[in-house]
Amino acid sequence: MTAAPGRRSSTFTRLLRHGFTDASAAERLLDSPELAALRDDPVLLEALGATADPDLALLGLVRLLEAQQSPGARRELLDTLIAAKPLRDRLLGVLGASTALADHLARHPDDWQALVMYEAYDLHPGVEEFEAGLAEATDPVSLRVAYRRCLLSIAARDVCGTTGVAESAAELADLATATLRAALGIAEAAAPEDAALCRLAVIAMGKCGGHELNYVSDVDVIFVGEATEGTDETKAVRAATRLASHMMRVCSETTVEGSIWPVDANLRPEGRNGPLVRTLSSHLAYYQRWAKTWEFQALLKARPVAGDLDLGAEYVAAVQPLVWKAAERENFVPDVQKMRRRVVENIPVAEVDRQLKLGPGGLRDVEFAVQLLQLVHGRADTSLRSGTTLDALEALAAGGYVGRSDAAQLDEAYRFLRSMEHRIQLFRLRRTHLVPEDEAELRRIGRSLGLRKDPVADLHREWRRHAGVVRRLHEKLFYRPLLDAVAQLATGEARLSTEAARERMVALGYADPASALRHLEALASGVTRKAAIQRTLLPVLLGWFADSADPDAGLLNFRKVSDALGKTPWYLRLLRDEGAAAQNLARVLSAGRLAPDLLMRAPEAVALLGDGDGGGLEPRPRAHLEQEILAAVRRADGGAQAVTAARGVRRRELFRTAAADIVGSYGTEEQAAEADQGALVDRVGGAVSDLTAATLAGTLRAVVHDGWKDGLPIRFAIIGMGRFGGHELGYGSDADVLFVHEPCDGVDEREASQAANKVVSEMRRLLQIPSADPPLLIDADLRPEGKSGPMVRTLKSYEAYYRRWALTWESHALLRAEPVAGDEELGRRFIELIDPLRYPADGLADEAVREIRRLKARMESERLPRGADPKLHAKLGPGGLSDVEWTVQLMQLRHGSAEPGLRTTRTREALAAAREAGLMTGEDAAILDEAWVLATRVRNAVMLVRGRAGDTFPTEPRELAAVGRYLGYGPGHAGDMLDAYRRTARRARGVVEELFYGIAER
């Protein structure tokens, strides 16, 4: 039939209205001889339009009709199709959803008759019915054909909505059970002598064991073998292994009819490295001695399905007690922490947002959360011991282990995500968990799920909504019932018992669950708005605390901050409404002692953790810091009050720096940890050094204003030395300085000296007055003559001393000298004075080089603390800070005059300059830089964790673990951290021995 030119035929329009996307192709198919009699049949068009993909369904129908063996067979199919609605819906539904099953029907055109039956038993078949469907299969090829025929009926009920996703998954698992039995039967028939020697049980694991299989998935199994009476055990196990291997090949190998699915036995003891078949006693010996927590988690779903079912039942009965004791294992807590983290590193970046299974908010999040709660509580509550995710979730809700509302939302989300997964896999019968990008495929998936108005947009919206629910509830699932257990609210649903709450807290890493529960009760009880907001915040915060090395400290510190700020209106609003604030606070409160101690002294600094107007965590420029401190000094009443104000600013800014360092080192859910460790070190060193300089400037101003109303009779400058001058101060570093002064015109030297010494002593006194703020210790021991010399000198006195008496070590120390506060012009002239000393025009004589080496060797032997492990001492140990810095500084002394790039007080800049000047190779520079950055990070970590300075790793396990977390090592990897430090330091020491101790020969 041809429409008039320029006009569409009425059939074309009807096809578009019924959901066809290529109406022209559909018209041609309807005009084919096979369908000519029905081309205008409204019943057929309505049925095609109801499918997920009408174009695909019509094409599949034509192919099926063409494949019929005779005109009579074709007529029978068409007559039944039009007359029988159940067949019509099932057949066309399958053809519109799966090209793979359409291909099967085209190869086996009589199999459509498997969809005709509509009896009650046909609606929900089980293992027995599927075994009957596979009964005639005698070889791998016929087994595949029979399997696809059974699969056809499951898919038909699924796409028509006769069964829900949970029922379809159970039927797929039952079909897998029947298939494994048939495959084992084929293997036994091929080797009856092997079958006579052994008893072989096939244990289903994973989704097959849990009665929740996908359309295309590896079928995970474990094999258990025993000898028959009178048979040698070794021979029996070998026979069982041959049978098991043959059974796996029957299912997995590709034939003319394709394959069924891979049978995966890698969940067995020792994985792919272990024997395929073990005896029951061998299994038990392994699980009792060697098994890891994840292996007991996997055994949650163990179910005997084929072979000797009595032996399979013995196996399950024997391992189940071990499963429910897993929570008592020594390493259960760190194992749980590792399993709770989403493992997305191995997913290609382009696929993370398309992953239904492993991505954030994916199926794995629900399954892992449910399984871990089962491990924690299933020992005491046998109602939780289901291998099926949705059944277990329902039992957890019924027992009060999960909130009913949360469970209902997760149930809905899980069903939707599994339905998407089923539809994606059904199309080509391929194993995938990726949401396709092709719009036609997305349209088909959306329509198959009942989204007909705008299938693609609606599918994306529903998918993101459900994934968001899973992400939001993933942590809440663990912690919300804990709050319900202590909050004393009439929730109208079952609650965790005190013992169950305690068990869960222990499982999540809390060492003192009783105290933790008391803190929760204090925070969350009552009907006030404050308590209601806390109940909203705490489930997520508790998860972040549990992700740290010391969850107890995190929760205790949170209670302290909340007690201090609970009545301020902005505090809880900040945590609730600003996305970063709550997570940043959780990280800071549980990462160690220093940051919480700083925060407790002025809890209002919590505002810095938000992303609003609180200032954020970016370090403030030195000029801004000085401006604020000097303004506070001007407003103060007297020097003591002025310095107290300056120290208060310093405390707040130290907290800002520490918090930024912790958040950058740990990362957040939205932003990964800072990959550039050197950038973190530079940020801390620069921020603390600028803050120290601004504090000294403010203190100097306060002392001068308080003691000399008419003006100081001298010009006065403070010179930063050591790490201070190098912009490399750590949290616990003293401020190494030199003091220099010059009398003003008309002032005699005695008066000037008295004024200068009074300034220095008053500054030191005010900065060390006991208070809530951390003291700032000034160390002037690098001055001429050391502790025996005057605390402060005139510029002329420095010039005279350095011209006549300067030692090599003093030239060495002056490499880090930089003006930090006071009279800028005087500071500049001091630098002009010392530049010839630290960058001598002729370099260093060999004797001076040897003296520096002797000094270095003596320092290593005399200053290393007794009992300390030199290889783990970040400052004085081999490859530590001292090694790297002395190597670089010796190059500066020798070549600084000729190489302007070396004239810097900063270690990393000098390293880069030495590399650019060809004084060391790029590889050597990189090794030294890595070692210096790591050693600096270790010292910063120790201070953050312990609240006091240290140069070596802590020995207390929780403190060591916290240092590890800061350095990027997960739970249980403290040993890896120490090994990595030793390797890095060892490589650096090798470079130091060549460049520092052999430098005269280079």
Side-chain angles (χ1 to χ4, degrees):
M1 177 186 293
T2 305
R7 296 181 61 189
R8 294 291 192 189
S9 71
S10 60
T11 303
F12 185 97
T13 305
R14 288 168 62 201
L15 290 170
L16 290 178
R17 193 167 62 246
H18 280 97
F20 287 84
T21 56
D22 189 349
S24 297
E27 275 193 302
R28 289 193 296 273
L29 289 172
L30 287 170
D31 283 335
S32 64
E34 291 79 12
L35 280 177
L38 297 176
R39 73 179 317 279
D40 294 319
D41 190 305
V43 173
L44 178 62
L45 288 182
E46 287 286 345
L48 287 168
T51 65
D53 188 337
D55 302 84
L56 192 66
L58 178 57
L59 176 61
L61 178 60
V62 171
R63 290 179 63 205
L64 177 58
L65 288 167
E66 289 174 344
Q68 296 302 307
Q69 301 298 315
S70 66
R74 191 175 304 126
R75 192 160 47 249
E76 180 187 2
L77 171 56
L78 283 174
D79 290 346
T80 310
L81 187 71
I82 298 302
K85 186 178 188 306
L87 171 67
R88 188 165 62 246
D89 292 344
R90 291 179 173 194
L91 178 58
L92 296 182
V94 168
L95 293 174
S98 176
T99 57
L101 290 177
D103 291 342
H104 172 83
L105 284 168
R107 290 196 307 274
H108 304 281
D110 292 337
D111 278 3
W112 65 269
Q113 296 186 37
L115 304 179
V116 174
M117 298 299 295
Y118 199 66
E119 302 298 332
Y121 69 84
D122 180 52
L123 296 182
H124 302 289
V127 176
E128 186 178 339
E129 286 76 22
F130 288 127
E131 282 192 289
L134 303 177
E136 296 181 6
T138 56
D139 57 65
V141 173
S142 60
L143 181 60
R144 280 151 178 70
V145 174
Y147 175 84
R148 291 281 194 282
R149 189 182 305 119
C150 294
L151 191 66
L152 189 65
S153 66
I154 294 175
R157 289 187 296 276
D158 183 9
V159 298
C160 292
T162 306
T163 55
V165 64
E167 292 80 7
S168 297
E171 289 180 12
L172 288 165
D174 285 342
L175 175 56
T177 296
T179 306
L180 290 171
R181 292 178 182 180
L184 182 57
I186 292 172
E188 289 175 337
E193 64 285 357
D194 282 344
L197 291 175
C198 65
R199 300 167 63 201
L200 176 63
V202 183
I203 312 297
M205 304 286 286
K207 281 187 161 45
C208 183
H211 241 87
E212 50 188 15
L213 197 60
N214 298 328
Y215 275 101
V216 186
S217 175
D218 291 358
V219 171
D220 296 310
V221 299
I222 285 177
F223 295 106
V224 186
E226 295 287 351
T228 54
E229 188 173 349
T231 303
D232 176 72
E233 184 178 284
T234 302
K235 289 183 179 179
V237 170
R238 288 174 182 166
T241 301
R242 289 191 291 270
L243 289 174
S245 299
H246 191 177
M247 187 205 83
M248 294 173 69
R249 292 195 301 274
V250 168
C251 297
S252 306
E253 286 182 346
T254 301
T255 70
V256 291
E257 287 291 339
S259 66
I260 302 177
W261 18 248
V263 177
D264 188 341
N266 288 336
L267 291 178
R268 67 187 184 269
E270 299 181 76
R272 65 185 59 195
N273 297 320
L276 184 62
V277 179
R278 287 176 183 257
T279 62
L280 178 55
S281 61
S282 176
H283 277 283
L284 290 176
Y286 173 84
Y287 287 126
Q288 288 165 348
R289 186 170 184 184
W290 304 110
K292 299 179 176 62
T293 299
W294 71 262
E295 293 179 277
F296 294 113
Q297 182 187 5
L299 286 171
L300 278 170
K301 296 183 178 292
R303 180 171 65 94
V305 291
D308 191 315
L309 297 182
D310 290 337
L311 176 59
E314 288 179 46
Y315 170 85
V316 171
V319 299
Q320 286 302 297
L322 301 177
V323 171
W324 304 116
K325 290 181 180 178
E328 301 172 5
R329 291 163 55 85
E330 180 180 353
N331 293 319
F332 182 73
V333 171
D335 288 346
V336 167
Q337 289 177 321
K338 283 184 279 189
M339 288 190 290
R340 278 178 51 250
R341 291 191 188 86
R342 300 186 191 97
V343 183
V344 296
E345 288 85 353
N346 295 328
I347 305 174
V349 175
E351 295 182 0
V352 169
D353 291 336
R354 296 167 52 212
Q355 260 282 352
L356 271 177
K357 181 178 180 180
L358 299 177
L363 293 162
R364 180 60 60 84
D365 276 354
V366 181
E367 293 162 356
F368 264 39
V370 168
Q371 289 163 22
L372 292 176
L373 288 175
Q374 287 179 279
L375 286 175
V376 172
H377 300 296
R379 176 183 54 168
D381 189 343
T382 57
S383 70
L384 305 181
R385 299 181 182 183
S386 171
T388 306
T389 300
L390 291 177
D391 290 348
L393 182 58
E394 182 181 3
L396 286 165
Y401 304 99
V402 172
R404 288 191 185 277
S405 173
D406 295 344
Q409 291 183 69
L410 274 179
D411 182 284
E412 181 187 4
Y414 188 75
R415 289 176 190 272
F416 181 85
L417 296 173
R418 283 299 303 270
S419 296
M420 274 189 73
E421 183 183 48
H422 277 193
R423 297 298 190 272
I424 291 168
Q425 293 184 350
L426 180 60
F427 183 50
R428 294 189 180 90
L429 288 182
R430 290 182 184 168
R431 183 175 182 267
T432 179
H433 306 286
L434 286 181
V435 177
E437 297 176 296
D438 179 70
E439 187 155 330
E441 292 194 42
L442 292 171
R443 180 176 182 271
R444 185 193 68 254
I445 296 166
R447 282 175 58 90
S448 75
L449 296 173
L451 306 172
R452 297 301 174 100
K453 186 175 181 180
D454 187 350
V456 176
D458 290 349
L459 177 67
H460 271 291
R461 186 184 66 252
E462 287 296 294
W463 171 30
R464 295 305 179 192
R465 179 174 73 84
H466 286 296
V469 167
V470 174
R471 277 199 304 274
R472 189 178 76 252
L473 294 181
H474 177 64
E475 295 293 350
K476 186 179 175 184
L477 200 67
F478 288 90
Y479 299 107
R480 183 53 187 265
L482 292 170
L483 301 184
D484 290 342
V486 299
Q488 299 172 4
L489 296 175
T491 62
E493 63 176 47
R495 299 181 185 178
L496 286 180
S497 67
T498 302
E499 180 59 24
R502 191 198 68 80
E503 286 177 347
R504 189 174 301 189
M505 295 300 276
V506 170
L508 294 164
Y510 289 83
D512 186 354
S515 295
L517 289 170
R518 284 197 298 273
H519 299 324
L520 290 183
E521 183 173 5
L523 289 163
S525 290
V527 293
T528 64
R529 179 175 175 274
K530 171 187 169 185
I533 295 175
Q534 290 281 25
R535 287 193 294 274
T536 301
L537 292 170
L538 277 166
V540 180
L541 287 169
L542 285 168
W544 288 326
F545 293 149
D547 202 33
S548 74
D550 195 349
D552 300 81
L555 181 56
L556 172 60
N557 289 331
F558 179 69
R559 181 179 176 184
K560 289 179 179 178
V561 173
S562 295
D563 287 347
L565 295 176
K567 293 182 180 179
T568 56
W570 57 266
Y571 166 61
L572 290 175
R573 187 170 63 243
L574 170 82
L575 298 184
R576 183 191 64 194
D577 298 340
E578 292 203 28
Q583 187 173 8
N584 289 347
L585 179 62
R587 294 290 185 233
V588 166
L589 294 180
S590 56
R593 296 179 184 174
L594 178 65
D597 285 351
L598 292 170
L599 182 60
M600 296 309 167
R601 291 164 183 166
E604 64 276 4
V606 165
L608 300 176
L609 299 171
D611 30 53
D613 299 328
L617 296 179
E618 285 298 313
R620 298 176 66 201
R622 176 173 166 180
H624 291 183
L625 293 170
E626 276 197 28
Q627 184 178 15
E628 180 184 1
I629 289 175
L630 292 176
V633 166
R634 281 194 299 271
R635 293 192 300 269
D637 183 13
Q641 189 181 100
V643 174
T644 297
R647 288 174 66 179
V649 174
R650 176 172 177 264
R651 177 198 59 234
R652 184 197 68 213
E653 295 303 319
L654 275 175
F655 173 75
R656 188 198 304 269
T657 302
D661 190 17
I662 290 166
V663 171
S665 298
Y666 273 66
T668 64
E669 289 185 352
E670 287 73 33
Q671 187 169 351
E674 172 66 64
D676 185 351
Q677 304 290 296
L680 287 170
V681 165
D682 292 344
R683 201 174 302 145
V684 171
V688 177
S689 299
D690 286 347
L691 178 56
T692 301
T695 305
L696 290 179
T699 304
L700 176 60
R701 176 72 61 86
V703 168
V704 171
H705 184 269
D706 206 34
W708 291 271
K709 301 293 184 185
D710 299 327
L712 192 63
I714 57 173
R715 285 182 287 275
F716 187 88
I718 303 174
I719 310 299
M721 299 288 284
R723 297 191 185 288
F724 187 16
H727 298 258
E728 296 163 359
L729 282 179
Y731 298 111
S733 301
D734 296 345
D736 290 319
V737 297
L738 297 178
F739 298 109
V740 57
H741 76 96
E742 191 173 65
C744 293
D745 293 342
V747 177
D748 68 56
E749 289 194 4
R750 182 175 179 179
E751 179 186 356
S753 177
Q754 288 176 341
N757 278 288
K758 184 177 179 181
V759 168
V760 172
S761 62
E762 187 65 4
M763 284 184 68
R764 299 183 76 181
R765 183 185 73 81
L766 290 173
L767 286 170
Q768 295 178 48
I769 292 176
S771 76
D773 301 310
L776 174 55
L777 301 178
I778 297 175
D779 186 341
D781 288 353
L782 292 176
R783 65 188 183 270
E785 302 178 76
K787 294 181 180 180
S788 303
M791 183 67 69
V792 58
R793 290 174 181 260
T794 63
L795 186 63
K796 286 183 179 179
S797 176
Y798 275 108
E799 181 180 13
Y801 175 86
Y802 286 139
R803 184 176 62 249
R804 187 172 183 183
W805 304 107
L807 300 174
T808 302
W809 74 263
E810 291 175 303
S811 298
H812 186 184
L814 289 170
L815 285 167
R816 303 275 212 133
E818 182 174 290
V820 293
D823 190 288
E824 292 182 6
E825 196 272 338
L826 180 60
R828 180 185 57 76
R829 284 194 287 137
F830 181 86
I831 295 302
E832 290 175 354
L833 166 67
I834 65 171
D835 271 352
L837 282 170
R838 57 183 181 174
Y839 308 126
D842 298 326
L844 283 184
D846 288 350
E847 178 55 34
V849 172
R850 285 192 289 272
E851 182 183 349
I852 288 175
R853 290 174 180 167
R854 283 196 299 271
L855 283 171
K856 174 77 168 66
R858 191 175 73 197
M859 185 181 70
E860 288 178 11
S861 63
E862 294 179 359
R863 293 178 58 187
L864 195 68
R866 181 176 298 176
D869 181 353
K871 294 180 180 178
L872 292 176
H873 200 280
K875 183 177 181 180
L876 300 176
L881 294 172
S882 176
D883 265 5
V884 176
E885 289 165 0
W886 282 59
T887 300
V888 173
Q889 289 158 11
L890 186 53
M891 288 186 174
Q892 290 178 287
L893 287 166
R894 297 188 74 227
H895 304 286
S897 176
E899 296 292 342
L902 289 172
R903 298 173 207 161
T904 176
T905 62
R906 306 181 188 216
T907 302
R908 299 188 74 209
E909 285 186 7
L911 259 177
R915 183 195 65 224
E916 291 297 319
L919 299 174
M920 67 174 70
T921 65
E923 181 182 3
D924 286 351
I927 289 171
L928 293 181
D929 184 73
E930 180 187 10
W932 188 87
V933 166
L934 178 57
T936 304
R937 292 265 292 157
V938 169
R939 296 180 89 209
N940 285 345
V942 170
M943 185 66 186
L944 284 170
V945 170
R946 304 182 70 188
R948 60 182 188 273
D951 295 315
T952 190
F953 290 90
T955 55
E956 198 279 321
R958 284 220 167 192
E959 292 181 344
L960 185 63
V963 169
R965 295 304 310 278
Y966 173 84
L967 295 177
Y969 293 87
H973 288 279
D976 296 338
M977 170 183 66
L978 298 179
D979 289 344
Y981 180 85
R982 291 187 185 99
R983 283 195 302 273
T984 303
R986 186 168 59 246
R987 287 197 301 268
R989 180 66 179 193
V991 175
V992 169
E993 287 178 350
E994 181 182 358
L995 296 181
F996 182 79
Y997 290 105
I999 202 165
E1001 286 75 37
R1002 285 177 68 88

